Amino acid sequence: RFERLSGPTLSPNGGMLAYGVRKIDRTFELRLRDLAGEESEAIVLPFCENPHFSADNRWFAWRVGMSEEKREELTEAKQPVRTGVGLRRLADGEERAFEEIQSFTFDETGRFIALLGYAPDEPKGAGSSLIVVELATDTRTIIGNVSELSWSDVGSILAITLTTGDALGSGVQTYDAASGRLRSLDTTHSKYSGLTWREDAADLAVLRSLEPAKKDGEAHAVLAWRGLDADEPRTFVLSPSDAGVAESLVVSEHAHPRWAKDGGSIAIGLRPPKEKDEPDEEKDESKGPANESKESKEKKPKLPGLQIWHTSDVRIFPGQKASESRDQKRTLLALWHLENDRVVQIGTDLMERAELAQGWDRAFEAISLPYPWGNMFGRPYLDLWLVDTHSGEREKILERVRHTYWSAEGNYLLWFDGEHYWSIDLRTKKRTNLTKNIEAQFADTLYDTPTDLLPPHGVGGWLEGDAAVFLYDRFDVWRVAPDGSGGQRITRGAREEIEHRIVDLDFEEEAIDPTAPLYFRIRSERTEARGFARLTPGAATANQLVLRDRSLGGLMKAKEADVYLYRVESRDDSPDLFVTGPDLASPRQVTRSNPFQSEFAWTHAELVNFTSEGGRELQAALLFPVNHDPSKRYPCIVYTYEILAPQIHNYELPDERSYYNFITWTQHGYFVLMPDIVYKAREPGISAIESVRAAVKKTVDMGLVDAKRVGLIGHSWGGYQAAYLPTRIDTFAASVAGAPLTDFVSFMGQIHWNPGMAEVSHWETGQARMEVPYWEDPEAHHRNSPIHKIQDLETPLLMAFGNEDGVVDWDQGTEFYNFARRAGKQMVLLVYEGEDHGFREEANQVDYHRRILEWFGHYLKGEPAPTWITEGIALDALEEEQRRIAEKETEKPAPKPEPRKVRL
């Protein structure tokens, strides 16, 4: 029955709410709620998702899916898996259903909806049937062979591309749904793609392949029309060679065209075409294979299965392989100026980044090529080139920078030098230190990863007109003039150690409106209370609106009304949504997830303050066992990673597929301790000891935890700690290490296979924090490596790996296992076949979850040990053991105890 809320959506007028619900049995549904009624019941739509309201607030549409079992059944039967669409009139609840619809979209007025079906099996490459419905009358217009569609922002004009799967019949059309007029814009044998309307205009652009639709051609022309709401729109056609595009480049379909706001230019993507194989010479059919000449046979030698890795590779070969498909879609940014039919190329390197500034008069390209060493080994830098998008002139504007930011209007460029923010006024090229006279620390001085350049706390956005930029320090937000004329702190968080960060309530706007209230999410660093604050126009300082000992988040606003919504949850309070007004006062709860939780005993969480052995003031989240008796000391499971105390309010469901499931552990009578760990360079293991041991001692001293029954568990980096600490200290009665790195010497030279990234690239300046390579400080590598003290391991250790782990090479597990076996240590290695770094198969997730409970049940609670713990399992007995775990009775939360009767 347990459920999770997801994806809340408000209607434009704030009168209706839709949200998703996913249950732990993998069923899902949509719920639709009328917010006007105090006690109105939500409408439940089983196996539905993707909610959308029409712009006029009259209609609600959703995707109709199917159960996980049904999807698997169709897949196994090699049948197509197809969804439908549901439609509901909000005024009276009338519903309509449309089967086999792959996508849907309302027009900008809310009068019409377009429903695109699935393409037929034959002919190959043909488009789908499109149904355009006038919602008020249910009048339906059907258009065949549609491959792509897009509504304009102006009126109800629908652009469509047509694909028949044959040599003829492809084209671009517009359909004015209000008038019923269908207009053909272009018809050829080519393929059309990338339909793009200009914002708030009836201007359209599209790509047209130069090769016939049936051929896999890369080169494209660009077509554009202005004024498609008029009788005679203007037509523009880009012929790349005539417009100045280099012969070595073609317009690529991998970058859809984008309109400038003024309609004067269109952004496109260029790239070199793939080299085509030379066509085979015509063979003499009279000659059989035996008559082929020796020269002909030698023409196409069998190629070796070879990779060439060079030490000068900035991206190593596995990385190139992992990103090959993405790399083949990279394009060079270019701008087509319509009036003079000229293309200005902005990007020069497919592997580098180019962007347009607001207004599109300027662009920049970030070039990292001059700094190969830094990009190889975790210290990336780049040069920034400014490009005039009209003349194409390029100027190197910044050298050797890391953190850069465009202003909203494109007039300024910001960068951070590790201490201060600087700006360049791109109109005058004047450079200014913006923060040297501001009494604030904008660098993150608590950043505990070795670096040659401290990162900033961040940029919160820009005011309209580039009037100011919002900069973060540790707790507060500063409004700073980009010309260097000063700055003001607009929040007051430092005194109470309450962090303030801007909430973006309008994702469509690139700049912050100074006439609208500005909202902030806030978090107390001392108590982990959360809430919101607001700066009203004209005020000097933000006011706190709400701060609770809960997690408050997801603040959103209805598009057309002062209706606000946010989410509240805690460890013992299931997440729910609350609706309120601009002051966020008197919020009204509008959902009630997991209302039956009161039937069960439940955990609660407390924040524990402790001092690390290194003298650092830290915190830990402590989850209490259900039905906790203060007179008893309990076993405890310590879960480690890095900073975990901020997770104190995270609600969790008792789900066996979540193998590190804290709520389940509390149901089994354990405390769960999640301590913060802060790190010193070259001492990740020592740092973990200093934090974790102190946190455990604090809970023991509080009279809560039995010091002899403490277990340790973690995954990946937390798995490293779960493997390392038991080789150095005797705090733990048992440990579980999921996918850990175990050997600091060999792991430095290994590879993250999923992204194809050399581990050494972030070994020194990433999570391992080793700062230098092995040969510069071998003692530090040995001192912090689990395997280099395996002879001192006295804690029973359970380790789990997927044998296709693409993050931590599972050789780290087999190496540790072999060493432990030779040293005569108590260790069990679980190997889940076909699994990656995180397990995906339900059977494997449940198996690992249950074995963790058996492991800790034996070593922390004295429960009888199954054979797999004491002796292991031979191959011929493995299936029986797998079945034993799989057929265990599914766990249920502990019931809430009956109230005790007290005799008076």
Side-chain angles (χ1 to χ4, degrees):
R1 291 190 293 172
F2 282 95
E3 60 191 23
R4 299 177 177 90
L5 302 186
S6 64
T9 303
L10 285 168
S11 62
N13 64 3
M16 301 292 292
L17 167 69
Y19 59 97
V21 171
R22 288 189 172 269
K23 300 190 178 185
I24 61 173
D25 64 358
R26 274 42 185 181
T27 60
F28 58 95
E29 62 194 35
L30 268 181
R31 294 181 187 170
L32 178 65
R33 169 83 191 272
D34 185 347
L35 296 179
E38 288 285 336
E39 298 297 330
S40 63
E41 287 291 325
I43 298 164
V44 178
L45 303 167
F47 299 112
C48 296
E49 53 193 343
N50 196 23
H52 285 272
F53 291 98
S54 63
D56 61 3
N57 298 289
R58 296 181 178 181
W59 297 89
F60 177 63
W62 63 91
R63 177 182 293 118
V64 180
M66 63 191 69
S67 68
E68 192 174 274
E69 292 78 10
K70 180 63 175 176
R71 183 178 293 272
E72 290 175 356
E73 179 184 317
L74 290 172
T75 301
E76 289 177 5
K78 297 183 178 180
Q79 296 294 316
V81 177
R82 294 180 173 176
T83 59
V85 168
L87 187 64
R88 181 182 180 90
R89 182 158 51 200
L90 297 175
D92 58 10
E94 176 198 318
E95 289 191 0
R96 303 171 193 170
F98 301 86
E99 295 183 350
E100 297 200 1
I101 300 295
Q102 61 170 305
S103 64
F104 66 93
T105 176
F106 287 110
D107 77 317
E108 289 294 312
T109 69
R111 287 181 57 193
F112 301 92
I113 189 171
L115 306 150
L116 185 63
Y118 287 87
D121 295 333
E122 294 293 339
K124 296 293 183 183
S128 312
S129 290
L130 171 69
I131 307 172
V132 181
V133 182
E134 184 174 10
L135 296 168
T137 63
D138 199 24
T139 303
R140 306 183 183 191
T141 301
I142 300 176
I143 304 172
N145 296 318
V146 175
S147 54
E148 191 176 332
L149 61 93
S150 179
W151 287 107
S152 70
D153 289 347
V154 176
S156 302
I157 307 175
L158 183 67
I160 57 176
T161 61
L162 303 178
T163 307
T164 64
D166 295 322
L168 300 175
S170 297
V172 181
Q173 296 180 349
T174 58
Y175 174 66
D176 188 330
S179 67
R181 180 184 181 185
L182 186 66
R183 170 189 279 171
S184 178
L185 301 179
D186 196 65
T187 302
T188 64
H189 58 285
S190 300
K191 176 185 175 183
Y192 296 83
S193 62
L195 283 173
T196 307
W197 289 97
R198 179 159 75 95
E199 185 178 353
D200 298 325
D203 300 348
L204 179 69
V206 71
L207 301 177
R208 183 181 68 194
S209 65
L210 300 186
E211 295 278 358
K214 278 186 167 289
K215 291 191 176 181
D216 188 22
E218 291 184 84
H220 291 74
V222 186
L223 281 65
W225 296 268
R226 280 193 191 145
L228 285 171
D229 53 351
D231 289 334
E232 297 185 8
R234 291 186 64 189
T235 302
F236 301 84
V237 180
L238 171 64
S239 174
S241 58
D242 295 338
V245 176
E247 292 184 2
S248 59
L249 300 173
V250 298
V251 176
S252 172
E253 65 180 329
H254 299 307
H256 286 189
R258 292 178 291 145
W259 282 92
K261 283 190 175 181
D262 64 3
S265 54
I266 295 174
I268 57 176
L270 308 175
R271 65 169 292 119
K274 296 177 186 176
E275 292 186 8
K276 293 184 178 180
D277 294 333
E278 292 293 328
D280 293 338
E281 294 181 10
E282 291 187 12
K283 294 181 179 179
D284 184 350
E285 297 297 333
S286 64
K287 296 180 180 179
N291 296 325
E292 287 184 13
S293 66
K294 183 179 179 182
E295 291 77 17
S296 174
K297 290 181 180 179
E298 290 177 351
K299 255 186 178 181
K300 294 184 179 180
K302 186 175 181 180
L303 301 180
L306 172 67
Q307 299 178 4
I308 299 176
W309 299 24
H310 197 284
T311 54
S312 65
D313 293 337
V314 175
R315 287 198 311 156
I316 63 172
F317 198 91
Q320 297 175 47
K321 289 288 289 183
S323 63
E324 185 177 15
S325 61
R326 293 191 301 274
D327 290 347
Q328 290 174 351
K329 296 178 181 178
R330 291 178 181 269
T331 60
L332 302 171
L333 177 63
L335 210 58
W336 174 32
H337 296 283
L338 273 62
E339 294 301 333
N340 60 12
D341 193 25
R342 183 166 178 267
V343 171
V344 175
Q345 183 178 329
I346 296 163
T348 61
D349 190 317
L350 285 170
M351 302 309 298
E352 304 286 9
R353 176 171 54 94
E355 293 182 15
L356 289 158
Q358 185 72 11
W360 289 24
D361 290 327
R362 306 178 189 90
F364 76 80
E365 186 175 25
I367 302 293
S368 62
L369 286 175
Y371 311 102
W373 189 89
N375 286 287
M376 291 164 71
F377 304 119
R379 301 162 180 88
Y381 287 98
L382 52 85
D383 293 340
L384 218 58
W385 289 77
L386 187 66
V387 184
D388 185 313
T389 60
H390 297 280
S391 67
E393 291 182 3
R394 299 169 61 85
E395 174 188 2
K396 188 191 291 184
I397 196 78
L398 287 176
E399 283 189 334
R400 201 175 183 272
V401 293
R402 185 173 300 170
H403 307 287
T404 60
Y405 312 87
W406 273 114
S407 67
E409 301 294 332
N411 296 315
Y412 293 93
L413 182 64
L414 259 62
W415 78 97
F416 186 73
D417 67 4
E419 183 179 4
H420 291 293
Y421 283 98
W422 292 72
S423 73
I424 300 179
D425 187 329
L426 297 174
R427 297 160 295 191
T428 64
K429 305 298 172 63
K430 181 183 177 182
R431 301 185 178 216
T432 306
N433 187 325
L434 300 186
T435 56
K436 67 177 180 179
N437 296 321
I438 297 177
E439 294 184 6
Q441 178 60 261
F442 294 101
D444 184 359
T445 57
L446 297 181
Y447 187 72
D448 68 349
T449 301
T451 180
D452 58 339
L453 186 72
L454 280 175
H457 284 286
V459 175
W462 290 78
L463 276 182
E464 289 180 354
D466 288 350
V469 60
F470 294 100
L471 304 178
Y472 297 145
D473 67 13
R474 181 178 173 187
F475 295 111
D476 285 308
V477 182
W478 293 75
R479 181 169 53 210
V480 178
D483 61 2
S485 58
Q488 302 82 37
R489 186 168 59 145
I490 61 172
T491 61
R492 292 293 182 265
R495 183 176 179 180
E496 300 296 327
E497 297 185 351
I498 296 177
E499 178 187 83
H500 289 66
R501 296 296 183 256
I502 292 173
V503 178
D504 186 358
L505 293 178
D506 190 347
F507 295 107
E508 295 180 358
E509 296 298 327
E510 296 180 0
I512 295 172
D513 182 357
T515 66
L518 185 60
Y519 286 82
F520 307 86
R521 67 178 188 275
I522 59 177
R523 178 182 73 90
S524 170
E525 211 172 75
R526 295 177 186 173
T527 68
E528 290 299 337
R530 312 291 172 87
F532 303 103
R534 180 183 61 180
L535 178 71
T536 55
T541 307
N543 292 319
Q544 188 180 112
L545 299 178
V546 56
L547 184 66
R548 297 182 61 192
D549 190 25
R550 293 280 190 274
S551 174
L552 276 66
L555 182 65
M556 65 173 60
K557 177 186 176 298
K559 189 173 183 179
E560 300 169 354
D562 281 336
V563 177
Y564 292 75
L565 186 84
Y566 61 83
R567 176 185 176 116
V568 180
E569 68 179 289
S570 69
R571 281 284 171 182
D572 56 357
D573 183 10
S574 184
D576 276 305
L577 301 174
F578 288 74
V579 67
T580 182
D583 296 334
L584 308 190
S586 303
R588 178 165 58 95
Q589 184 173 339
V590 292
T591 66
R592 192 168 299 281
S593 66
N594 301 315
F596 50 83
Q597 181 187 305
S598 59
E599 300 171 18
F600 303 103
W602 213 258
T603 187
H604 77 277
E606 294 184 7
L607 202 60
V608 175
N609 296 300
F610 69 96
T611 303
S612 77
E613 294 172 355
R616 182 76 175 268
E617 297 297 322
L618 297 173
Q619 294 179 315
L622 182 65
L623 279 56
F624 279 64
V626 301
N627 299 326
H628 174 250
D629 183 347
S631 67
K632 297 180 180 179
R633 288 180 180 259
Y634 285 78
C636 177
I637 297 175
V638 181
Y639 183 87
T640 58
Y641 197 76
E642 293 193 3
I643 300 297
L644 295 176
Q647 297 184 21
I648 187 169
H649 298 305
N650 292 6
Y651 184 81
E652 191 173 19
L653 303 180
D655 185 353
E656 287 193 300
R657 292 185 67 170
S658 167
Y659 33 86
Y660 304 122
N661 192 271
F662 303 158
I663 188 65
T664 301
W665 298 344
T666 65
Q667 291 282 335
H668 280 259
Y670 298 101
F671 274 101
V672 178
L673 181 67
M674 298 183 288
D676 286 346
I677 302 172
V678 293
Y679 296 88
K680 295 178 290 188
R682 307 192 198 185
E683 301 290 7
I686 303 300
S687 299
I689 289 176
E690 291 179 349
S691 296
V692 175
R693 187 162 56 185
V696 172
K697 183 177 184 303
K698 180 62 180 285
T699 60
V700 172
D701 291 346
M702 291 168 66
L704 301 172
V705 169
D706 184 343
K708 295 182 179 180
R709 297 191 291 160
V710 180
L712 178 64
I713 192 169
H715 190 86
S716 193
W717 183 243
Y720 154 67
Q721 293 154 357
Y724 175 80
L725 269 65
T727 66
R728 295 331 197 260
I729 59 177
D730 61 359
T731 302
F732 304 102
S735 186
V736 178
L741 45 155
T742 65
D743 186 340
F744 265 38
V745 178
S746 65
F747 193 75
M748 175 189 166
Q750 290 185 349
I751 292 172
H752 269 53
W753 289 106
N754 290 344
M757 179 180 68
E759 183 60 49
V760 71
S761 69
H762 80 284
W763 183 253
E764 299 165 29
T765 60
Q767 202 165 40
R769 299 172 169 87
M770 289 310 292
E771 193 173 36
V772 295
Y774 164 73
W775 53 88
E776 289 189 23
D777 195 346
E779 268 306 308
H781 282 73
H782 290 158
R783 190 167 58 245
N784 290 278
S785 177
I787 210 165
H788 287 95
K789 280 286 186 178
I790 198 168
Q791 68 274 17
D792 295 336
L793 175 68
E794 299 300 332
T795 302
L797 178 63
L798 174 65
M799 189 177 290
F801 263 101
N803 68 352
E804 294 184 8
D805 195 321
V807 176
V808 176
D809 196 312
W810 82 291
D811 285 346
Q812 291 284 294
T814 58
E815 183 180 347
F816 193 93
Y817 165 78
N818 280 320
F819 277 43
R821 186 167 174 266
R822 178 63 179 85
K825 301 302 177 179
Q826 167 66 355
M827 179 198 167
V828 175
L829 177 63
L830 305 176
V831 180
Y832 290 95
E833 297 175 358
E835 292 286 9
D836 201 331
H837 195 56
F839 305 157
R840 294 181 177 275
E841 292 296 324
E842 180 179 3
N844 295 336
Q845 293 168 337
V846 172
D847 183 273
Y848 186 33
H849 172 93
R850 292 178 174 180
R851 291 187 191 279
I852 290 171
L853 289 172
E854 288 191 343
W855 185 262
F856 284 138
H858 173 62
Y859 287 109
L860 303 189
K861 295 166 72 175
E863 297 172 356
T867 304
W868 72 270
I869 292 178
T870 57
E871 303 173 18
I873 301 294
L875 177 61
D876 58 4
L878 182 58
E879 183 177 336
E880 182 180 348
E881 168 63 16
Q882 292 169 329
R883 187 176 293 110
R884 180 187 72 83
I885 289 288
E887 293 177 353
K888 266 189 156 187
E889 184 179 352
T890 299
E891 298 169 22
K892 297 176 182 178
K896 184 173 286 188
E898 293 292 329
R900 288 184 295 174
K901 295 180 180 179
V902 180
R903 192 172 194 176
L904 299 179

